Amino acid sequence: AGELVRPASIGYWSAIRHWNWTEQIPMIVYVQTTARKNNPRPKVLGVQYEIVTLNPRKYFGHVKEWRNGKAVFVSGREKTLIDCADDVGRAGGIDELSKAVKAAALHISWKKLDEYAGRFPNRAVMKRLGYLLETLVPGLSQEGRNVLLKWQRELSAGIVPLQPSARKSGRTVTRWRIRVNAEIG
């Protein structure tokens, strides 16, 4: 990824897989950057990449990991959840995001997740993550519950769909200002 564009960080579903929050192997390696690329979907040595150009305000929260003796930047655990709640399609859909939320809940820093969500320009991430964490993670820690209560006070007024690409109908959960338009497991 670092040879295709700079700066570069592995993100979305590819990062979900990196953190072992899914058994699925994405067919695309998602690469985040702030640079523009003429070919955002290059295929290199049989591997399909998708280069996603982000607003610089959304490009943060990366960690250096080592693969085959080379440094690779990957979105950190908390930032992976934020990015995937922002762009559910690149997360592999609401099912993959749901699996990631359940797997990640015990391994994230709530302080960092709260900081990143507050920095992120799209409040829909708080709505989606808050709803998923509250619904899918029984026995959430007190720290986690406190973060979710804080988010509820900071939610924007509009209703957002749980899965943007799904049907427009579904029940509305006013507590999270979200339309549940897809089943979660």
Side-chain angles (χ1 to χ4, degrees), residues 15-71:
I16 287 175
R17 180 68 193 123
H18 171 79
W19 295 117
N20 291 318
W21 295 340
T22 182
E23 68 285 347
Q24 300 295 317
I25 299 174
M27 300 301 292
I28 297 171
V29 176
Y30 291 99
V31 181
Q32 297 179 326
T33 186
T34 56
R36 294 268 178 223
K37 209 51 182 148
N38 287 338
N39 179 9
R41 292 187 56 93
K43 194 167 196 171
V44 179
L45 299 174
V47 177
Q48 183 69 58
Y49 291 85
E50 183 171 330
I51 299 170
V52 181
T53 302
L54 297 178
N55 178 311
R57 289 179 53 202
K58 290 184 175 183
Y59 192 75
F60 63 90
H62 314 289
V63 296
K64 187 188 291 188
E65 297 283 316
W66 293 90
R67 288 279 193 233
N68 301 323
K70 293 188 181 208

Short mmCIF file of all heavy atoms in Angstrom, two decimals, residues 15-71:
data_model
loop_
_atom_site.label_atom_id
_atom_site.label_comp_id
_atom_site.label_asym_id
_atom_site.label_seq_id
_atom_site.Cartn_x
_atom_site.Cartn_y
_atom_site.Cartn_z
N ALA A 15 -8.73 -3.61 7.69
CA ALA A 15 -8.29 -3.42 9.07
C ALA A 15 -9.09 -4.31 10.03
O ALA A 15 -8.53 -4.84 11.00
CB ALA A 15 -8.41 -1.96 9.48
N ILE A 16 -10.38 -4.48 9.75
CA ILE A 16 -11.19 -5.41 10.56
C ILE A 16 -10.53 -6.79 10.53
O ILE A 16 -10.39 -7.45 11.56
CB ILE A 16 -12.64 -5.49 10.04
CG1 ILE A 16 -13.40 -4.21 10.38
CG2 ILE A 16 -13.37 -6.71 10.62
CD1 ILE A 16 -14.82 -4.16 9.81
N ARG A 17 -10.11 -7.22 9.35
CA ARG A 17 -9.44 -8.52 9.23
C ARG A 17 -8.10 -8.52 9.95
O ARG A 17 -7.75 -9.48 10.64
CB ARG A 17 -9.25 -8.87 7.75
CG ARG A 17 -8.57 -10.19 7.53
CD ARG A 17 -9.46 -11.36 7.98
NE ARG A 17 -8.69 -12.56 8.03
CZ ARG A 17 -8.54 -13.32 9.11
NH1 ARG A 17 -9.16 -13.02 10.23
NH2 ARG A 17 -7.81 -14.39 9.09
N HIS A 18 -7.35 -7.44 9.81
CA HIS A 18 -6.05 -7.34 10.49
C HIS A 18 -6.20 -7.54 11.99
O HIS A 18 -5.38 -8.20 12.62
CB HIS A 18 -5.40 -5.98 10.20
CG HIS A 18 -4.20 -5.73 11.04
ND1 HIS A 18 -2.97 -6.29 10.76
CD2 HIS A 18 -4.04 -5.00 12.17
CE1 HIS A 18 -2.11 -5.92 11.69
NE2 HIS A 18 -2.73 -5.13 12.55
N TRP A 19 -7.25 -6.94 12.58
CA TRP A 19 -7.45 -7.04 14.03
C TRP A 19 -8.15 -8.35 14.42
O TRP A 19 -8.48 -8.54 15.59
CB TRP A 19 -8.24 -5.83 14.53
CG TRP A 19 -7.50 -4.54 14.35
CD1 TRP A 19 -7.87 -3.49 13.57
CD2 TRP A 19 -6.26 -4.17 14.94
NE1 TRP A 19 -6.93 -2.49 13.63
CE2 TRP A 19 -5.92 -2.89 14.47
CE3 TRP A 19 -5.38 -4.81 15.83
CZ2 TRP A 19 -4.76 -2.23 14.86
CZ3 TRP A 19 -4.22 -4.16 16.21
CH2 TRP A 19 -3.92 -2.88 15.73
N ASN A 20 -8.36 -9.26 13.47
CA ASN A 20 -8.99 -10.56 13.73
C ASN A 20 -10.40 -10.44 14.28
O ASN A 20 -10.81 -11.21 15.15
CB ASN A 20 -8.12 -11.42 14.66
CG ASN A 20 -6.86 -11.85 14.00
OD1 ASN A 20 -6.86 -12.24 12.84
ND2 ASN A 20 -5.75 -11.78 14.72
N TRP A 21 -11.16 -9.48 13.77
CA TRP A 21 -12.55 -9.30 14.19
C TRP A 21 -13.51 -9.95 13.21
O TRP A 21 -14.73 -9.83 13.37
CB TRP A 21 -12.87 -7.81 14.30
CG TRP A 21 -12.12 -7.10 15.37
CD1 TRP A 21 -11.49 -7.65 16.45
CD2 TRP A 21 -11.92 -5.70 15.48
NE1 TRP A 21 -10.92 -6.68 17.22
CE2 TRP A 21 -11.16 -5.46 16.65
CE3 TRP A 21 -12.31 -4.61 14.71
CZ2 TRP A 21 -10.79 -4.19 17.05
CZ3 TRP A 21 -11.94 -3.35 15.11
CH2 TRP A 21 -11.19 -3.15 16.28
N THR A 22 -13.00 -10.63 12.21
CA THR A 22 -13.83 -11.36 11.27
C THR A 22 -13.04 -12.55 10.75
O THR A 22 -11.80 -12.51 10.70
CB THR A 22 -14.28 -10.47 10.09
OG1 THR A 22 -15.12 -11.25 9.22
CG2 THR A 22 -13.10 -9.96 9.27
N GLU A 23 -13.76 -13.58 10.35
CA GLU A 23 -13.11 -14.74 9.71
C GLU A 23 -13.08 -14.55 8.19
O GLU A 23 -12.41 -15.30 7.48
CB GLU A 23 -13.82 -16.04 10.10
CG GLU A 23 -15.22 -16.20 9.54
CD GLU A 23 -16.30 -15.37 10.23
OE1 GLU A 23 -16.05 -14.81 11.32
OE2 GLU A 23 -17.39 -15.27 9.66
N GLN A 24 -13.83 -13.56 7.70
CA GLN A 24 -13.89 -13.29 6.27
C GLN A 24 -12.58 -12.67 5.79
O GLN A 24 -11.95 -11.90 6.51
CB GLN A 24 -15.03 -12.33 5.95
CG GLN A 24 -16.40 -12.82 6.35
CD GLN A 24 -16.81 -14.05 5.57
OE1 GLN A 24 -16.61 -14.14 4.37
NE2 GLN A 24 -17.39 -15.02 6.26
N ILE A 25 -12.19 -12.99 4.57
CA ILE A 25 -11.02 -12.38 3.95
C ILE A 25 -11.51 -11.49 2.83
O ILE A 25 -12.04 -11.97 1.83
CB ILE A 25 -10.03 -13.45 3.42
CG1 ILE A 25 -9.55 -14.32 4.59
CG2 ILE A 25 -8.87 -12.78 2.71
CD1 ILE A 25 -8.69 -15.48 4.20
N PRO A 26 -11.39 -10.17 3.02
CA PRO A 26 -11.88 -9.26 1.99
C PRO A 26 -11.14 -9.46 0.66
O PRO A 26 -9.95 -9.76 0.64
CB PRO A 26 -11.57 -7.87 2.55
CG PRO A 26 -11.26 -8.08 3.99
CD PRO A 26 -10.80 -9.48 4.14
N MET A 27 -11.87 -9.30 -0.43
CA MET A 27 -11.28 -9.45 -1.76
C MET A 27 -10.54 -8.18 -2.19
O MET A 27 -9.84 -8.19 -3.19
CB MET A 27 -12.37 -9.78 -2.79
CG MET A 27 -13.12 -11.06 -2.48
SD MET A 27 -12.06 -12.52 -2.40
CE MET A 27 -11.56 -12.65 -4.08
N ILE A 28 -10.72 -7.11 -1.44
CA ILE A 28 -10.10 -5.82 -1.74
C ILE A 28 -9.29 -5.39 -0.54
O ILE A 28 -9.72 -5.54 0.60
CB ILE A 28 -11.18 -4.75 -2.05
CG1 ILE A 28 -11.98 -5.14 -3.28
CG2 ILE A 28 -10.56 -3.37 -2.20
CD1 ILE A 28 -13.20 -4.25 -3.53
N VAL A 29 -8.10 -4.83 -0.79
CA VAL A 29 -7.31 -4.22 0.27
C VAL A 29 -7.63 -2.73 0.23
O VAL A 29 -7.36 -2.05 -0.76
CB VAL A 29 -5.79 -4.46 0.09
CG1 VAL A 29 -5.01 -3.72 1.16
CG2 VAL A 29 -5.48 -5.95 0.10
N TYR A 30 -8.24 -2.24 1.31
CA TYR A 30 -8.62 -0.83 1.39
C TYR A 30 -7.46 -0.02 1.95
O TYR A 30 -6.93 -0.34 3.01
CB TYR A 30 -9.86 -0.65 2.26
CG TYR A 30 -11.10 -1.24 1.64
CD1 TYR A 30 -11.56 -2.50 2.00
CD2 TYR A 30 -11.80 -0.53 0.67
CE1 TYR A 30 -12.70 -3.04 1.42
CE2 TYR A 30 -12.93 -1.07 0.07
CZ TYR A 30 -13.37 -2.32 0.46
OH TYR A 30 -14.49 -2.85 -0.13
N VAL A 31 -7.11 1.04 1.22
CA VAL A 31 -6.00 1.90 1.60
C VAL A 31 -6.52 3.33 1.75
O VAL A 31 -7.11 3.88 0.82
CB VAL A 31 -4.87 1.87 0.54
CG1 VAL A 31 -3.71 2.76 0.95
CG2 VAL A 31 -4.41 0.45 0.28
N GLN A 32 -6.31 3.91 2.91
CA GLN A 32 -6.71 5.29 3.14
C GLN A 32 -5.52 6.22 2.88
O GLN A 32 -4.39 5.87 3.17
CB GLN A 32 -7.15 5.50 4.59
CG GLN A 32 -8.35 4.71 4.98
CD GLN A 32 -8.71 4.94 6.44
OE1 GLN A 32 -7.84 5.12 7.28
NE2 GLN A 32 -9.99 4.92 6.74
N THR A 33 -5.83 7.41 2.36
CA THR A 33 -4.81 8.41 2.11
C THR A 33 -5.47 9.78 2.05
O THR A 33 -6.70 9.87 1.98
CB THR A 33 -4.07 8.13 0.77
OG1 THR A 33 -2.99 9.05 0.63
CG2 THR A 33 -5.00 8.22 -0.42
N THR A 34 -4.65 10.81 2.06
CA THR A 34 -5.17 12.16 1.82
C THR A 34 -4.81 12.62 0.42
O THR A 34 -5.22 13.70 -0.01
CB THR A 34 -4.59 13.16 2.84
OG1 THR A 34 -3.16 13.11 2.78
CG2 THR A 34 -5.07 12.84 4.25
N ALA A 35 -4.05 11.80 -0.29
CA ALA A 35 -3.60 12.16 -1.65
C ALA A 35 -4.62 11.73 -2.69
O ALA A 35 -5.34 10.75 -2.52
CB ALA A 35 -2.26 11.49 -1.94
N ARG A 36 -4.66 12.46 -3.79
CA ARG A 36 -5.52 12.09 -4.92
C ARG A 36 -4.76 11.09 -5.77
O ARG A 36 -3.56 11.18 -5.95
CB ARG A 36 -5.86 13.32 -5.77
CG ARG A 36 -6.71 14.31 -5.04
CD ARG A 36 -8.17 14.02 -5.31
NE ARG A 36 -8.99 14.94 -4.57
CZ ARG A 36 -10.07 14.58 -3.92
NH1 ARG A 36 -10.45 13.33 -3.92
NH2 ARG A 36 -10.79 15.47 -3.28
N LYS A 37 -5.49 10.15 -6.34
CA LYS A 37 -4.89 9.12 -7.17
C LYS A 37 -5.67 9.01 -8.47
O LYS A 37 -6.90 9.00 -8.46
CB LYS A 37 -4.95 7.80 -6.39
CG LYS A 37 -3.92 6.77 -6.62
CD LYS A 37 -2.51 7.22 -6.54
CE LYS A 37 -1.64 6.04 -6.86
NZ LYS A 37 -0.44 6.31 -7.51
N ASN A 38 -4.97 8.93 -9.60
CA ASN A 38 -5.64 8.80 -10.90
C ASN A 38 -6.36 7.46 -11.03
O ASN A 38 -7.43 7.38 -11.59
CB ASN A 38 -4.64 8.95 -12.05
CG ASN A 38 -4.19 10.38 -12.21
OD1 ASN A 38 -4.88 11.31 -11.79
ND2 ASN A 38 -3.03 10.56 -12.81
N ASN A 39 -5.75 6.42 -10.51
CA ASN A 39 -6.35 5.09 -10.57
C ASN A 39 -6.64 4.63 -9.15
O ASN A 39 -5.76 4.06 -8.50
CB ASN A 39 -5.41 4.11 -11.28
CG ASN A 39 -6.00 2.71 -11.35
OD1 ASN A 39 -7.16 2.49 -11.03
ND2 ASN A 39 -5.19 1.75 -11.76
N PRO A 40 -7.86 4.85 -8.65
CA PRO A 40 -8.15 4.49 -7.26
C PRO A 40 -8.38 3.00 -7.03
O PRO A 40 -8.54 2.59 -5.89
CB PRO A 40 -9.42 5.29 -6.95
CG PRO A 40 -10.07 5.46 -8.27
CD PRO A 40 -8.97 5.55 -9.28
N ARG A 41 -8.39 2.19 -8.10
CA ARG A 41 -8.61 0.75 -7.93
C ARG A 41 -7.55 -0.07 -8.69
O ARG A 41 -7.89 -0.88 -9.55
CB ARG A 41 -10.01 0.37 -8.40
CG ARG A 41 -11.10 0.95 -7.48
CD ARG A 41 -12.48 0.47 -7.82
NE ARG A 41 -12.63 -0.96 -7.83
CZ ARG A 41 -13.03 -1.71 -6.80
NH1 ARG A 41 -13.30 -1.14 -5.66
NH2 ARG A 41 -13.15 -2.99 -6.92
N PRO A 42 -6.28 0.11 -8.33
CA PRO A 42 -5.25 -0.65 -9.04
C PRO A 42 -5.24 -2.12 -8.63
O PRO A 42 -5.62 -2.47 -7.51
CB PRO A 42 -3.96 0.04 -8.60
CG PRO A 42 -4.26 0.57 -7.24
CD PRO A 42 -5.72 0.98 -7.31
N LYS A 43 -4.81 -2.94 -9.56
CA LYS A 43 -4.61 -4.36 -9.28
C LYS A 43 -3.11 -4.61 -9.42
O LYS A 43 -2.52 -4.33 -10.47
CB LYS A 43 -5.41 -5.22 -10.25
CG LYS A 43 -5.52 -6.66 -9.84
CD LYS A 43 -6.57 -7.38 -10.67
CE LYS A 43 -6.93 -8.68 -9.99
NZ LYS A 43 -8.07 -9.31 -10.62
N VAL A 44 -2.49 -5.12 -8.36
CA VAL A 44 -1.05 -5.34 -8.34
C VAL A 44 -0.79 -6.78 -7.94
O VAL A 44 -1.22 -7.21 -6.87
CB VAL A 44 -0.35 -4.37 -7.35
CG1 VAL A 44 1.14 -4.61 -7.33
CG2 VAL A 44 -0.67 -2.92 -7.69
N LEU A 45 -0.10 -7.50 -8.80
CA LEU A 45 0.24 -8.90 -8.56
C LEU A 45 -1.00 -9.72 -8.15
O LEU A 45 -0.96 -10.52 -7.23
CB LEU A 45 1.33 -9.01 -7.48
CG LEU A 45 2.66 -8.33 -7.80
CD1 LEU A 45 3.58 -8.39 -6.62
CD2 LEU A 45 3.31 -8.95 -9.04
N GLY A 46 -2.11 -9.45 -8.83
CA GLY A 46 -3.34 -10.20 -8.59
C GLY A 46 -4.14 -9.73 -7.39
O GLY A 46 -5.17 -10.31 -7.08
N VAL A 47 -3.67 -8.70 -6.70
CA VAL A 47 -4.38 -8.19 -5.52
C VAL A 47 -5.09 -6.89 -5.90
O VAL A 47 -4.47 -5.97 -6.43
CB VAL A 47 -3.41 -7.93 -4.34
CG1 VAL A 47 -4.14 -7.34 -3.15
CG2 VAL A 47 -2.69 -9.23 -3.96
N GLN A 48 -6.39 -6.83 -5.61
CA GLN A 48 -7.17 -5.63 -5.89
C GLN A 48 -7.08 -4.68 -4.71
O GLN A 48 -7.30 -5.07 -3.57
CB GLN A 48 -8.64 -6.01 -6.13
CG GLN A 48 -9.52 -4.84 -6.48
CD GLN A 48 -9.21 -4.29 -7.87
OE1 GLN A 48 -9.28 -5.02 -8.85
NE2 GLN A 48 -8.85 -3.03 -7.94
N TYR A 49 -6.72 -3.44 -4.99
CA TYR A 49 -6.66 -2.39 -3.98
C TYR A 49 -7.74 -1.36 -4.28
O TYR A 49 -8.11 -1.17 -5.43
CB TYR A 49 -5.30 -1.68 -4.01
CG TYR A 49 -4.16 -2.54 -3.53
CD1 TYR A 49 -3.51 -3.41 -4.39
CD2 TYR A 49 -3.74 -2.48 -2.21
CE1 TYR A 49 -2.47 -4.21 -3.95
CE2 TYR A 49 -2.69 -3.27 -1.76
CZ TYR A 49 -2.06 -4.14 -2.63
OH TYR A 49 -1.03 -4.92 -2.20
N GLU A 50 -8.21 -0.71 -3.23
CA GLU A 50 -9.07 0.45 -3.40
C GLU A 50 -8.46 1.57 -2.56
O GLU A 50 -8.37 1.46 -1.34
CB GLU A 50 -10.50 0.20 -2.98
CG GLU A 50 -11.38 1.41 -3.24
CD GLU A 50 -12.86 1.16 -3.04
OE1 GLU A 50 -13.31 0.01 -3.26
OE2 GLU A 50 -13.55 2.11 -2.68
N ILE A 51 -8.04 2.62 -3.24
CA ILE A 51 -7.44 3.76 -2.57
C ILE A 51 -8.54 4.77 -2.29
O ILE A 51 -9.20 5.25 -3.21
CB ILE A 51 -6.31 4.37 -3.42
CG1 ILE A 51 -5.23 3.30 -3.64
CG2 ILE A 51 -5.74 5.62 -2.76
CD1 ILE A 51 -4.18 3.68 -4.65
N VAL A 52 -8.75 5.06 -1.02
CA VAL A 52 -9.83 5.94 -0.58
C VAL A 52 -9.20 7.25 -0.11
O VAL A 52 -8.46 7.28 0.87
CB VAL A 52 -10.63 5.29 0.57
CG1 VAL A 52 -11.78 6.20 1.00
CG2 VAL A 52 -11.13 3.91 0.16
N THR A 53 -9.51 8.32 -0.83
CA THR A 53 -8.99 9.63 -0.46
C THR A 53 -9.90 10.25 0.59
O THR A 53 -11.09 10.42 0.36
CB THR A 53 -8.90 10.55 -1.69
OG1 THR A 53 -8.05 9.93 -2.66
CG2 THR A 53 -8.32 11.91 -1.32
N LEU A 54 -9.30 10.56 1.73
CA LEU A 54 -10.05 11.13 2.85
C LEU A 54 -9.74 12.60 3.01
O LEU A 54 -8.64 13.06 2.71
CB LEU A 54 -9.66 10.43 4.16
CG LEU A 54 -9.96 8.95 4.30
CD1 LEU A 54 -9.46 8.45 5.65
CD2 LEU A 54 -11.43 8.68 4.16
N ASN A 55 -10.70 13.31 3.55
CA ASN A 55 -10.47 14.66 4.01
C ASN A 55 -9.41 14.57 5.12
O ASN A 55 -9.48 13.66 5.96
CB ASN A 55 -11.79 15.21 4.58
CG ASN A 55 -11.67 16.60 5.13
OD1 ASN A 55 -10.77 16.91 5.91
ND2 ASN A 55 -12.61 17.43 4.75
N PRO A 56 -8.44 15.46 5.14
CA PRO A 56 -7.40 15.38 6.19
C PRO A 56 -7.95 15.35 7.61
O PRO A 56 -7.31 14.77 8.50
CB PRO A 56 -6.57 16.65 5.95
CG PRO A 56 -6.74 16.93 4.48
CD PRO A 56 -8.16 16.52 4.17
N ARG A 57 -9.14 15.89 7.84
CA ARG A 57 -9.74 15.84 9.18
C ARG A 57 -10.09 14.41 9.60
O ARG A 57 -10.22 14.12 10.79
CB ARG A 57 -11.01 16.69 9.23
CG ARG A 57 -10.72 18.18 9.18
CD ARG A 57 -11.98 19.01 9.21
NE ARG A 57 -12.83 18.67 10.33
CZ ARG A 57 -14.13 18.92 10.37
NH1 ARG A 57 -14.74 19.47 9.35
NH2 ARG A 57 -14.84 18.59 11.43
N LYS A 58 -10.26 13.51 8.63
CA LYS A 58 -10.60 12.12 8.93
C LYS A 58 -9.37 11.20 8.93
O LYS A 58 -9.50 10.02 9.22
CB LYS A 58 -11.61 11.59 7.90
CG LYS A 58 -12.98 12.19 7.99
CD LYS A 58 -13.91 11.52 6.98
CE LYS A 58 -15.33 12.00 7.10
NZ LYS A 58 -16.21 11.27 6.16
N TYR A 59 -8.21 11.74 8.61
CA TYR A 59 -7.01 10.90 8.48
C TYR A 59 -6.16 11.00 9.75
O TYR A 59 -5.31 11.89 9.89
CB TYR A 59 -6.21 11.31 7.25
CG TYR A 59 -5.13 10.33 6.87
CD1 TYR A 59 -5.45 9.13 6.26
CD2 TYR A 59 -3.80 10.59 7.15
CE1 TYR A 59 -4.47 8.22 5.92
CE2 TYR A 59 -2.81 9.69 6.80
CZ TYR A 59 -3.15 8.50 6.20
OH TYR A 59 -2.17 7.60 5.87
N PHE A 60 -6.41 10.12 10.68
CA PHE A 60 -5.67 10.07 11.94
C PHE A 60 -5.89 8.70 12.56
O PHE A 60 -6.67 7.90 12.06
CB PHE A 60 -6.11 11.19 12.90
CG PHE A 60 -7.55 11.10 13.32
CD1 PHE A 60 -7.92 10.37 14.45
CD2 PHE A 60 -8.55 11.73 12.60
CE1 PHE A 60 -9.25 10.28 14.84
CE2 PHE A 60 -9.88 11.65 12.98
CZ PHE A 60 -10.23 10.92 14.10
N GLY A 61 -5.20 8.42 13.65
CA GLY A 61 -5.45 7.19 14.41
C GLY A 61 -4.84 5.94 13.83
O GLY A 61 -5.40 4.86 13.97
N HIS A 62 -3.66 6.07 13.23
CA HIS A 62 -2.99 4.91 12.62
C HIS A 62 -1.91 4.37 13.55
O HIS A 62 -1.33 5.11 14.33
CB HIS A 62 -2.35 5.30 11.28
CG HIS A 62 -3.27 6.11 10.43
ND1 HIS A 62 -4.39 5.58 9.83
CD2 HIS A 62 -3.28 7.42 10.12
CE1 HIS A 62 -5.02 6.52 9.17
NE2 HIS A 62 -4.37 7.66 9.33
N VAL A 63 -1.65 3.09 13.43
CA VAL A 63 -0.58 2.45 14.19
C VAL A 63 0.36 1.75 13.22
O VAL A 63 -0.06 1.32 12.15
CB VAL A 63 -1.12 1.45 15.24
CG1 VAL A 63 -1.95 2.18 16.29
CG2 VAL A 63 -1.92 0.35 14.60
N LYS A 64 1.61 1.66 13.62
CA LYS A 64 2.60 0.97 12.79
C LYS A 64 2.63 -0.50 13.18
O LYS A 64 2.80 -0.84 14.35
CB LYS A 64 3.98 1.59 12.99
CG LYS A 64 5.03 1.03 12.03
CD LYS A 64 6.44 1.51 12.35
CE LYS A 64 6.61 2.97 12.08
NZ LYS A 64 8.02 3.40 12.22
N GLU A 65 2.45 -1.35 12.22
CA GLU A 65 2.52 -2.80 12.40
C GLU A 65 3.62 -3.31 11.48
O GLU A 65 3.97 -2.67 10.49
CB GLU A 65 1.19 -3.46 12.03
CG GLU A 65 0.03 -3.04 12.89
CD GLU A 65 0.02 -3.71 14.25
OE1 GLU A 65 0.26 -4.93 14.31
OE2 GLU A 65 -0.23 -3.01 15.25
N TRP A 66 4.15 -4.48 11.80
CA TRP A 66 5.22 -5.05 10.97
C TRP A 66 4.72 -6.29 10.25
O TRP A 66 4.11 -7.17 10.86
CB TRP A 66 6.42 -5.38 11.84
CG TRP A 66 7.06 -4.13 12.37
CD1 TRP A 66 6.75 -3.50 13.54
CD2 TRP A 66 8.04 -3.34 11.72
NE1 TRP A 66 7.50 -2.37 13.67
CE2 TRP A 66 8.31 -2.23 12.57
CE3 TRP A 66 8.72 -3.43 10.51
CZ2 TRP A 66 9.23 -1.24 12.24
CZ3 TRP A 66 9.65 -2.45 10.19
CH2 TRP A 66 9.90 -1.38 11.04
N ARG A 67 4.94 -6.34 8.95
CA ARG A 67 4.59 -7.49 8.12
C ARG A 67 5.79 -7.85 7.27
O ARG A 67 6.29 -7.02 6.50
CB ARG A 67 3.41 -7.16 7.18
CG ARG A 67 2.10 -7.04 7.88
CD ARG A 67 1.54 -8.44 8.11
NE ARG A 67 0.16 -8.35 8.50
CZ ARG A 67 -0.32 -8.93 9.57
NH1 ARG A 67 0.44 -9.64 10.35
NH2 ARG A 67 -1.59 -8.83 9.86
N ASN A 68 6.26 -9.07 7.41
CA ASN A 68 7.41 -9.55 6.63
C ASN A 68 8.58 -8.56 6.69
O ASN A 68 9.21 -8.27 5.69
CB ASN A 68 7.01 -9.81 5.18
CG ASN A 68 5.90 -10.83 5.08
OD1 ASN A 68 5.86 -11.79 5.84
ND2 ASN A 68 4.98 -10.61 4.16
N GLY A 69 8.85 -8.04 7.88
CA GLY A 69 9.98 -7.14 8.07
C GLY A 69 9.78 -5.73 7.56
O GLY A 69 10.72 -4.94 7.54
N LYS A 70 8.57 -5.38 7.14
CA LYS A 70 8.30 -4.03 6.65
C LYS A 70 7.23 -3.36 7.51
O LYS A 70 6.27 -4.00 7.91
CB LYS A 70 7.81 -4.06 5.19
CG LYS A 70 8.86 -4.52 4.22
CD LYS A 70 8.39 -4.34 2.80
CE LYS A 70 9.50 -4.85 1.88
NZ LYS A 70 9.50 -4.21 0.62
N ALA A 71 7.43 -2.06 7.72
CA ALA A 71 6.45 -1.29 8.48
C ALA A 71 5.23 -1.00 7.61
O ALA A 71 5.37 -0.60 6.45
CB ALA A 71 7.07 0.01 8.97
#
